[in-house]
Amino acid sequence: MREDIARGPSFAELRPFKSATEGGPGQRTVFPVYADLVDLLAAEKGLPATEGPVPHTMATCAAYAYAGFGNEGDPGTVAMIMSRLGLAENRCRVFEQRVDAMYIASAAYLIQDKDRRVVILCYRGTQPEDIISILTDADVRPETLAVDLAGERHQVHAGFYRNMRATRHLIMQALARAARGESVDPGEKGVRGDGMEALYITGHSLGGAMAALMGVALVHEPRYAPIADRLRAVYTFGQPLLGGPGFADACTRATNDRDEHILRDRLLRYIFDRDVVPALPPRPVGPYAPFGREFHYRRPRGTAEGALAFAAETAIDAVSLPGDLLRGQLRRMAGRRARAAGRSLSALARGARTGGWSEVRDPGLHYPQMDSLAGLAVVAPLAFFAARLALTRSIPFTYSFEDHGPGHYVNALAPPGVLSEYGDVR
C-alpha cells in the first residue's frame, strides 16, 4: 500500500504575476474558476445538479486523477487542479494498492477543502499504458458483493469490486476523520468547524465503476451511516456496467432509513456520444444492466448517419462471426435490433439538430450492452483510427474508443463561457 499527501496552492500562489482584479472588460482571467465552489458543493441538499459547476468539477477531478509517473499517482497535480477550480489550499491524499497477480491497480484520491466542509472521493480509471490496469477491466468473472440489498447478495464484476475493496478500509478511516472535522491528513491535529457537510464520489472509466460500487457499499452498510448521511451524489463518466439485471434492479429499488432512493436518484452516469466503455462488458460474457440516472451527450448529426451506423454494425457483426455461430447470433440479434432500431433512430432524429446532453428517461433507450465481441474487437478500434483522418472522421461508427477520453467529458460539461482549469476563456 502506498500513501501520499499534497497541499493545494492558494489563489495568490496560482497567479504570481497577476493582480486579483486583472482581466479584460467584463471578463475574469484569473483563478478560481468558481469563486463560490465550496458553498455550491456544501449547499446542495436536493437532487444533485446535472449541469453547471458541480458536474464540471467532478469530471475535471476524474480526468486529472490519471496524473502520475510510472504506476504512482500524483496528488500534487490533483491538488493544484482542484485549487484552480475553487478549492484553494485543499488537502489531497492518495491511497494506492497494486497486486499484479490479482489484477489490482487501485488508486483513490481524497480532496478536502481547507475549511473541512467538503470532501471529494475520486477513483483513478484504467491507465492506457498499464497492462495490469487493463486486465482489471477484463477480469469479468462474477464475485459476490458483500452488501445486503433487499435481503439478497448479488454478483458483480470481479475486477471492479476487488479494486474498490483494496483501498476501502483506509478511505473509510479518513472519511471518519473528516466527519469529525479533522483533516484527512493524519499529520494535522485539531478539529475545524462542524465536520464534513458534503461528500461526493466520482471517477472516469474503471474509476467510475469503483465510485459506483463504493456508493453501493456506503449506502447499504449500516455501520457507514454517519458517512452515508453526508453523501450528496456519485458522478461517473464513461462508466462500464457493474452487474446483472437483478443487481441493477435491487440498487434501483433500495432506500435508506429516510426512504430516499440514493442509488436511483443520486448516482449520475454520463456517456459521451459513442463511448464504447459504457456498453461493456459485452453480452457474450453474461447479462449486465445499468442503474442510476443516465445522461447522454450526442454530437449533432442527421438521421441518415444513424441508419448507416446501424447497417455498418450489423455488417461487421456478420463478417466477424463464423458459420453456425453467425446463424445463431443473427437469429438472437434480429428481434432485438428490429425493436431497438426504430426507437434509437427516432431519438437520434429528435436530437439531430441540437445535440448536447439529455437525460435518458425511457428504460428502453438506455445505452445498450454490446451485443457481440465484434464491437469491441473491430468497430471501436476502427472508429478510434478513423477519427484521426479528415476523410474518415465523420463515419458513424456505433462505438468508439476515441469518445472515451476524459477530456471529452470535461469539455462537454463545461458551462458556456467558463474558464478552463488553466485559466483560458473557452
Side-chain angles (χ1 to χ4, degrees), residues 366-385:
H366 276 313
Y367 205 61
Q369 185 180 8
M370 187 180 290
D371 278 322
S372 75
L373 295 173
L376 182 60
V378 180
V379 179
L382 280 176
F384 177 82
F385 289 109

mmCIF file of all heavy atoms in Angstrom, residues 366-385:
data_model
loop_
_atom_site.group_PDB
_atom_site.id
_atom_site.type_symbol
_atom_site.label_atom_id
_atom_site.label_comp_id
_atom_site.label_asym_id
_atom_site.label_seq_id
_atom_site.Cartn_x
_atom_site.Cartn_y
_atom_site.Cartn_z
ATOM 1 N N HIS A 366 -31.954 3.172 -22.787
ATOM 2 C CA HIS A 366 -30.657 3.175 -22.110
ATOM 3 C C HIS A 366 -29.570 2.722 -23.083
ATOM 4 O O HIS A 366 -29.798 1.907 -23.974
ATOM 5 C CB HIS A 366 -30.680 2.236 -20.903
ATOM 6 C CG HIS A 366 -31.248 2.861 -19.670
ATOM 7 N ND1 HIS A 366 -30.875 4.109 -19.232
ATOM 8 C CD2 HIS A 366 -32.165 2.414 -18.774
ATOM 9 C CE1 HIS A 366 -31.540 4.395 -18.129
ATOM 10 N NE2 HIS A 366 -32.321 3.378 -17.825
ATOM 11 N N TYR A 367 -28.369 3.256 -22.880
ATOM 12 C CA TYR A 367 -27.224 2.830 -23.686
ATOM 13 C C TYR A 367 -27.092 1.316 -23.552
ATOM 14 O O TYR A 367 -26.882 0.805 -22.445
ATOM 15 C CB TYR A 367 -25.968 3.529 -23.170
ATOM 16 C CG TYR A 367 -24.868 3.692 -24.185
ATOM 17 C CD1 TYR A 367 -25.060 4.427 -25.343
ATOM 18 C CD2 TYR A 367 -23.603 3.147 -23.964
ATOM 19 C CE1 TYR A 367 -24.029 4.614 -26.261
ATOM 20 C CE2 TYR A 367 -22.567 3.325 -24.863
ATOM 21 C CZ TYR A 367 -22.797 4.066 -26.020
ATOM 22 O OH TYR A 367 -21.782 4.255 -26.922
ATOM 23 N N PRO A 368 -27.210 0.567 -24.657
ATOM 24 C CA PRO A 368 -27.327 -0.891 -24.532
ATOM 25 C C PRO A 368 -25.991 -1.590 -24.329
ATOM 26 O O PRO A 368 -24.933 -1.103 -24.746
ATOM 27 C CB PRO A 368 -27.938 -1.298 -25.877
ATOM 28 C CG PRO A 368 -27.417 -0.264 -26.829
ATOM 29 C CD PRO A 368 -27.338 1.031 -26.046
ATOM 30 N N GLN A 369 -26.054 -2.748 -23.666
ATOM 31 C CA GLN A 369 -24.873 -3.603 -23.559
ATOM 32 C C GLN A 369 -24.492 -4.078 -24.953
ATOM 33 O O GLN A 369 -25.344 -4.401 -25.783
ATOM 34 C CB GLN A 369 -25.169 -4.804 -22.662
ATOM 35 C CG GLN A 369 -23.958 -5.690 -22.409
ATOM 36 C CD GLN A 369 -24.281 -6.880 -21.518
ATOM 37 O OE1 GLN A 369 -25.440 -7.139 -21.196
ATOM 38 N NE2 GLN A 369 -23.258 -7.618 -21.114
ATOM 39 N N MET A 370 -23.187 -4.115 -25.244
ATOM 40 C CA MET A 370 -22.707 -4.516 -26.557
ATOM 41 C C MET A 370 -23.159 -5.948 -26.867
ATOM 42 O O MET A 370 -23.014 -6.854 -26.042
ATOM 43 C CB MET A 370 -21.191 -4.410 -26.615
ATOM 44 C CG MET A 370 -20.583 -4.645 -27.976
ATOM 45 S SD MET A 370 -18.779 -4.485 -27.922
ATOM 46 C CE MET A 370 -18.605 -2.712 -27.672
ATOM 47 N N ASP A 371 -23.720 -6.158 -28.078
ATOM 48 C CA ASP A 371 -24.294 -7.452 -28.444
ATOM 49 C C ASP A 371 -23.264 -8.532 -28.697
ATOM 50 O O ASP A 371 -23.507 -9.705 -28.458
ATOM 51 C CB ASP A 371 -25.169 -7.310 -29.702
ATOM 52 C CG ASP A 371 -26.560 -6.804 -29.361
ATOM 53 O OD1 ASP A 371 -27.091 -7.212 -28.322
ATOM 54 O OD2 ASP A 371 -27.092 -5.984 -30.125
ATOM 55 N N SER A 372 -22.105 -8.162 -29.229
ATOM 56 C CA SER A 372 -21.124 -9.176 -29.604
ATOM 57 C C SER A 372 -19.719 -8.641 -29.384
ATOM 58 O O SER A 372 -19.505 -7.449 -29.162
ATOM 59 C CB SER A 372 -21.294 -9.579 -31.070
ATOM 60 O OG SER A 372 -20.787 -8.563 -31.928
ATOM 61 N N LEU A 373 -18.756 -9.531 -29.463
ATOM 62 C CA LEU A 373 -17.369 -9.131 -29.312
ATOM 63 C C LEU A 373 -16.871 -8.331 -30.506
ATOM 64 O O LEU A 373 -15.810 -7.706 -30.432
ATOM 65 C CB LEU A 373 -16.485 -10.368 -29.127
ATOM 66 C CG LEU A 373 -16.738 -11.160 -27.835
ATOM 67 C CD1 LEU A 373 -15.928 -12.451 -27.846
ATOM 68 C CD2 LEU A 373 -16.390 -10.322 -26.616
ATOM 69 N N ALA A 374 -17.626 -8.350 -31.614
ATOM 70 C CA ALA A 374 -17.189 -7.623 -32.801
ATOM 71 C C ALA A 374 -17.089 -6.123 -32.542
ATOM 72 O O ALA A 374 -16.199 -5.447 -33.045
ATOM 73 C CB ALA A 374 -18.146 -7.885 -33.963
ATOM 74 N N GLY A 375 -18.020 -5.587 -31.744
ATOM 75 C CA GLY A 375 -17.976 -4.165 -31.451
ATOM 76 C C GLY A 375 -16.705 -3.775 -30.736
ATOM 77 O O GLY A 375 -16.130 -2.717 -30.980
ATOM 78 N N LEU A 376 -16.240 -4.648 -29.835
ATOM 79 C CA LEU A 376 -15.030 -4.366 -29.076
ATOM 80 C C LEU A 376 -13.773 -4.615 -29.901
ATOM 81 O O LEU A 376 -12.807 -3.863 -29.832
ATOM 82 C CB LEU A 376 -15.013 -5.238 -27.816
ATOM 83 C CG LEU A 376 -13.848 -5.048 -26.854
ATOM 84 C CD1 LEU A 376 -13.806 -3.612 -26.332
ATOM 85 C CD2 LEU A 376 -13.949 -6.029 -25.695
ATOM 86 N N ALA A 377 -13.787 -5.701 -30.699
ATOM 87 C CA ALA A 377 -12.580 -6.102 -31.422
ATOM 88 C C ALA A 377 -12.423 -5.407 -32.764
ATOM 89 O O ALA A 377 -11.309 -5.286 -33.274
ATOM 90 C CB ALA A 377 -12.594 -7.617 -31.637
ATOM 91 N N VAL A 378 -13.534 -4.955 -33.367
ATOM 92 C CA VAL A 378 -13.477 -4.403 -34.719
ATOM 93 C C VAL A 378 -13.968 -2.957 -34.774
ATOM 94 O O VAL A 378 -13.244 -2.046 -35.197
ATOM 95 C CB VAL A 378 -14.306 -5.271 -35.700
ATOM 96 C CG1 VAL A 378 -14.226 -4.689 -37.107
ATOM 97 C CG2 VAL A 378 -13.836 -6.714 -35.673
ATOM 98 N N VAL A 379 -15.206 -2.718 -34.321
ATOM 99 C CA VAL A 379 -15.833 -1.414 -34.524
ATOM 100 C C VAL A 379 -15.103 -0.310 -33.759
ATOM 101 O O VAL A 379 -14.714 0.714 -34.329
ATOM 102 C CB VAL A 379 -17.315 -1.458 -34.109
ATOM 103 C CG1 VAL A 379 -17.952 -0.087 -34.306
ATOM 104 C CG2 VAL A 379 -18.052 -2.508 -34.920
ATOM 105 N N ALA A 380 -14.920 -0.488 -32.444
ATOM 106 C CA ALA A 380 -14.321 0.575 -31.631
ATOM 107 C C ALA A 380 -12.894 0.924 -32.060
ATOM 108 O O ALA A 380 -12.545 2.104 -32.162
ATOM 109 C CB ALA A 380 -14.378 0.190 -30.155
ATOM 110 N N PRO A 381 -12.013 -0.069 -32.334
ATOM 111 C CA PRO A 381 -10.671 0.302 -32.814
ATOM 112 C C PRO A 381 -10.684 1.019 -34.152
ATOM 113 O O PRO A 381 -9.920 1.962 -34.365
ATOM 114 C CB PRO A 381 -9.949 -1.051 -32.913
ATOM 115 C CG PRO A 381 -10.682 -1.945 -31.967
ATOM 116 C CD PRO A 381 -12.106 -1.510 -32.051
ATOM 117 N N LEU A 382 -11.548 0.568 -35.090
ATOM 118 C CA LEU A 382 -11.638 1.251 -36.373
ATOM 119 C C LEU A 382 -12.064 2.701 -36.198
ATOM 120 O O LEU A 382 -11.525 3.609 -36.836
ATOM 121 C CB LEU A 382 -12.627 0.520 -37.291
ATOM 122 C CG LEU A 382 -12.123 -0.732 -38.004
ATOM 123 C CD1 LEU A 382 -13.265 -1.371 -38.786
ATOM 124 C CD2 LEU A 382 -10.969 -0.397 -38.935
ATOM 125 N N ALA A 383 -13.041 2.912 -35.309
ATOM 126 C CA ALA A 383 -13.517 4.272 -35.075
ATOM 127 C C ALA A 383 -12.419 5.149 -34.485
ATOM 128 O O ALA A 383 -12.303 6.333 -34.809
ATOM 129 C CB ALA A 383 -14.726 4.244 -34.141
ATOM 130 N N PHE A 384 -11.599 4.572 -33.615
ATOM 131 C CA PHE A 384 -10.507 5.324 -32.997
ATOM 132 C C PHE A 384 -9.539 5.844 -34.054
ATOM 133 O O PHE A 384 -9.165 7.012 -34.069
ATOM 134 C CB PHE A 384 -9.777 4.421 -31.996
ATOM 135 C CG PHE A 384 -8.587 5.079 -31.358
ATOM 136 C CD1 PHE A 384 -8.749 5.933 -30.273
ATOM 137 C CD2 PHE A 384 -7.304 4.851 -31.835
ATOM 138 C CE1 PHE A 384 -7.648 6.547 -29.684
ATOM 139 C CE2 PHE A 384 -6.201 5.457 -31.247
ATOM 140 C CZ PHE A 384 -6.384 6.310 -30.167
ATOM 141 N N PHE A 385 -9.134 4.958 -34.982
ATOM 142 C CA PHE A 385 -8.183 5.374 -36.012
ATOM 143 C C PHE A 385 -8.848 6.262 -37.065
ATOM 144 O O PHE A 385 -8.226 7.186 -37.593
ATOM 145 C CB PHE A 385 -7.547 4.149 -36.660
ATOM 146 C CG PHE A 385 -6.594 3.434 -35.755
ATOM 147 C CD1 PHE A 385 -6.917 2.198 -35.223
ATOM 148 C CD2 PHE A 385 -5.385 4.013 -35.388
ATOM 149 C CE1 PHE A 385 -6.054 1.544 -34.357
ATOM 150 C CE2 PHE A 385 -4.516 3.370 -34.525
ATOM 151 C CZ PHE A 385 -4.843 2.124 -34.010
#
